[in-house]
Structures are given as C-alpha cells and as structure tokens.
Amino acid sequence: MKSEITLQDSHSARQRISGHVRTTPIAASPSLSATTGGTIELKLEQLQKTGSFKLRGASNAVLSLTEAERAHGVVGVSTGNHGRGLAYAAKQAGVRCIICMSELVPQNKVDGIKAEGAEVRIVGRSQDDAQLEVDKLVAEGMVMLPPFDHPQIIAGQSTLALEMLEQSSDPDTVLVPLSGGGLISGVGMVIKRLSPSTRVIGVSMERGAAMYESQQAGKPIMVPELPTLADSLGGGVGLDNEYTFSMTRSFVDEIVLVSEAEIAAAIRHAYWQERQVIEGSGSVGIAALMSGKIKEPSKCIVVVSGQNIDMNLHHRIISGEDVDVAQES
C-alpha cells in the first residue's frame, strides 16, 4: 500500500537538496496588483538552475537512490523540463540518464537535455508513446523516475512551498501551473498543512488539460495531447496514477483554464512589465489573473514555473505576432 506524502517528507527533501538547487526569489508585481486590486507577488522559480522547478523533484529522487539503483542508471519521460532537471541531477551524481520524449517536444528543450549530458530518444507523438520506450528500458534494469507521480518527486517539488511561506506570510491565494500534478500536489499539501485558509488554485491550458478533465470525470482518463504554447503542461496523468490525482483532489480548491491568446498575453506581460522571460507553462497563473478568472485575489502568490521557451517563438510573441501553435505543429 502506498504511503502518504507528509510535511516531514517535505522538510527532509529540503535538507537533502540543499546546495543542489537555488532558493528562488519572490518579487512584487505593481502592474498586476494595480490591475487586480490585490497584492500580487511572483515566485520566480524560472530562475532555478535548469530554468524550471523540476530540478527540485529530480534532485530529491536521484539523491534518494540506493547505490545499486545508481549503478543501473535512470530513465524518464518528459515534455522537456523534467528531462532537463533529471539530466542535470544525474550528471551531478555521476549516474547514467536516458530521457524519452515525443515529437511534440520543442527542439530547444531536446537540445537543453542533451547539453546536460543525457541520452535522448524521440518516440511517437505523445507522452504515452514515449513511455513505452521507458518501459522497455526499465525491463532491461534501469530505474524509472517519472515526471510527477512519484513520492520523492512530489516531496522535492513541495520544497517550493516551504520557501514561499517563509518569503511571504499569509497569502490568501496561491496560483500553481497544473499538468500531471507533481508540483501542485506537493505545494498544496504543504500549504494546507501550514496555512489551511489559503486557496490553492491550479491553472492549466484549454488545449489538452488532462488533470482537469480527469478531475471532472472523477478518475484518471485519457485526454488527447494537443499542441499548445504551454507545452510543458502537455501529457496525461496516467491511468494507474497513484499519488497526484488523489492529492490534487484533496489539496486543490479550484482549477481554471486559460486560452492560447491569454497565455501569449501573459508571456508579453511578463517580458514588458515584469522584465522576465518565461515559457507558456510558466505564464498560466499570470494569464488567469489578467483574464479575470481569479476572484478577489487580495494577497496572491503566482508560481512562475519555467523559462525554457524557444527564443525565436518568444520574440514573435512579445512583438505582438499572432502565433497559432496548432498550425505550426
């Protein structure tokens, strides 16, 4: 029987990964505060070493391996940021790493993983296709470290919430990007234990929001993976999901969806008003605020989760060009 992930697991993970990850800053957003009438702060996790929060969970998982597991090497499936974090953590620990990805993953994210020293295998048109290759490698003896549904991954991601609550006291709302649920499960667990009255709101894209659709259905379901500016939020939750589906159900108060146009507007806002380069998945919380989908955010922390956007695409978006990801895929 699977064990519950606890606040103690979060504190243990924080101690374990100390020195391996950055403590990222929180910054006030005068422009978003003026727009919403609340006090809006941005948790700038895109400034993490590998450009996203994923390094926290990957580092905790790799550092928790036994010597025998390290000797066999690690493998994972990724839309980009988990793969980069896992590749970096494995390299630091001297562990072999293979990342399996679908053809939908942007080339810049593939290149970023290769730059960290991992082997990349491109398989099929979905995360599920790439997972089949992972399963083969696991059968050959490698250790799978998945992107979200894993206790050490979730505990590592949860350390972000411990930092946030030390940096900013008594938020009434926290906005967290939502995909497979590894981040929001960990963050939600910590916040509901330490600040129970704080609303935890997940934000995903309208195109292929697997966790949202699964929560609506009351169980994990298959959802078509579609091209989106929030590409890091793509992929399913796994029909055999052990942790994040139930943790999202327990710790998340609401899930909101944002459109491609709203995501693009948030990327532009982050650049021109906040002086931050962020990817589509990292912008969804800002998008939800700008579109008026968050009610009464009197003191709100927005998790900005990643910056690993293709810079040519970023230039087009901040220049005001209409970008149709469906046509470009």
Side-chain angles (χ1 to χ4, degrees):
M1 183 176 176
K2 68 182 179 66
S3 59
E4 181 184 358
I5 299 163
T6 66
L7 198 55
Q8 182 56 51
D9 293 324
S10 185
H11 287 295
S12 297
R14 192 177 191 187
Q15 186 173 24
R16 189 175 295 117
I17 67 178
S18 176
H20 297 270
V21 304
R22 289 180 182 145
T23 298
T24 54
I26 273 188
S29 172
S31 59
L32 289 173
S33 297
T35 298
T36 62
T39 299
I40 310 300
E41 297 175 314
L42 305 178
K43 175 61 170 169
L44 302 178
E45 186 64 13
Q46 87 278 10
L47 301 180
Q48 194 50 260
K49 288 180 181 179
T50 56
S52 93
F53 74 94
K54 289 286 193 177
L55 183 61
R56 294 175 184 268
S59 294
N60 190 48
V62 169
L63 293 169
S64 299
L65 294 173
T66 66
E67 285 302 316
E69 289 170 331
R70 289 161 62 99
H72 283 100
V74 296
V75 59
V77 63
S78 175
T79 53
N81 287 334
H82 171 65
R84 192 165 185 167
L86 186 57
Y88 181 94
K91 181 174 67 174
Q92 298 302 306
V95 173
R96 183 191 180 202
C97 179
I98 298 176
I99 303 297
C100 301
M101 314 175 83
S102 85
E103 296 167 4
L104 291 179
V105 176
Q107 187 62 42
N108 70 295
K109 294 193 173 180
V110 176
D111 294 341
I113 292 170
K114 289 179 178 177
E116 299 294 354
E119 178 185 339
V120 175
R121 298 190 183 180
I122 307 296
V123 185
R125 291 277 297 174
S126 73
Q127 290 281 87
D128 293 327
D129 291 339
Q131 183 63 47
L132 294 175
E133 183 68 17
V134 171
D135 295 341
K136 290 179 187 176
L137 293 166
V138 169
E140 294 170 9
M142 297 190 78
V143 177
M144 180 177 70
L145 291 179
F148 53 88
D149 196 37
H150 184 284
Q152 299 294 356
I153 296 288
I154 296 167
Q157 318 305 26
S158 76
T159 62
L160 186 148
L162 294 176
E163 278 183 22
M164 282 198 310
L165 293 178
E166 289 174 359
Q167 294 168 322
S168 182
S169 60
D170 302 319
D172 73 271
T173 305
V174 174
L175 305 184
V176 186
L178 174 61
S179 178
L183 178 60
I184 208 166
S185 293
V187 168
M189 180 273 293
V190 168
I191 288 175
K192 293 301 184 182
R193 297 284 185 265
L194 299 179
S195 182
S197 63
T198 300
R199 288 187 302 170
V200 177
I201 300 179
V203 190
S204 199
M205 67 291 180
E206 292 176 352
R207 293 177 59 80
M211 183 62 83
Y212 171 79
E213 297 293 346
S214 293
Q215 293 292 334
Q216 292 294 107
K219 62 181 181 180
I221 60 172
M222 296 286 286
V223 175
E225 193 170 339
L226 302 171
T228 171
L229 288 173
D231 54 86
S232 289
L233 301 185
V237 303
L239 296 181
D240 56 351
N241 188 289
E242 289 191 81
Y243 295 94
T244 62
F245 177 81
S246 60
M247 291 181 74
T248 298
R249 207 161 189 78
S250 296
F251 300 127
V252 177
D253 297 289
E254 184 183 355
I255 299 173
V256 301
L257 304 182
V258 291
S259 69
E260 296 301 302
E262 289 164 346
I263 293 169
I267 293 171
R268 282 193 290 272
H269 169 91
Y271 184 77
W272 293 113
Q273 300 298 323
E274 315 292 347
R275 294 174 170 79
Q276 302 291 335
V277 173
I278 61 176
E279 61 185 282
S281 60
S283 81
V284 292
I286 294 174
L289 282 174
M290 291 176 63
S291 59
K293 294 178 178 176
I294 307 302
K295 305 306 178 189
E296 300 179 358
S298 60
K299 185 175 183 185
C300 178
I301 302 175
V302 183
V303 176
V304 181
S305 57
Q307 68 172 8
N308 297 319
I309 189 171
D310 178 89
M311 291 309 292
N312 289 319
L313 175 61
H314 186 267
H315 178 75
R316 291 165 57 196
I317 292 171
I318 65 168
S319 300
E321 183 178 334
D322 288 330
V323 178
D324 188 338
V325 289
Q327 285 189 353
E328 294 189 6
S329 63

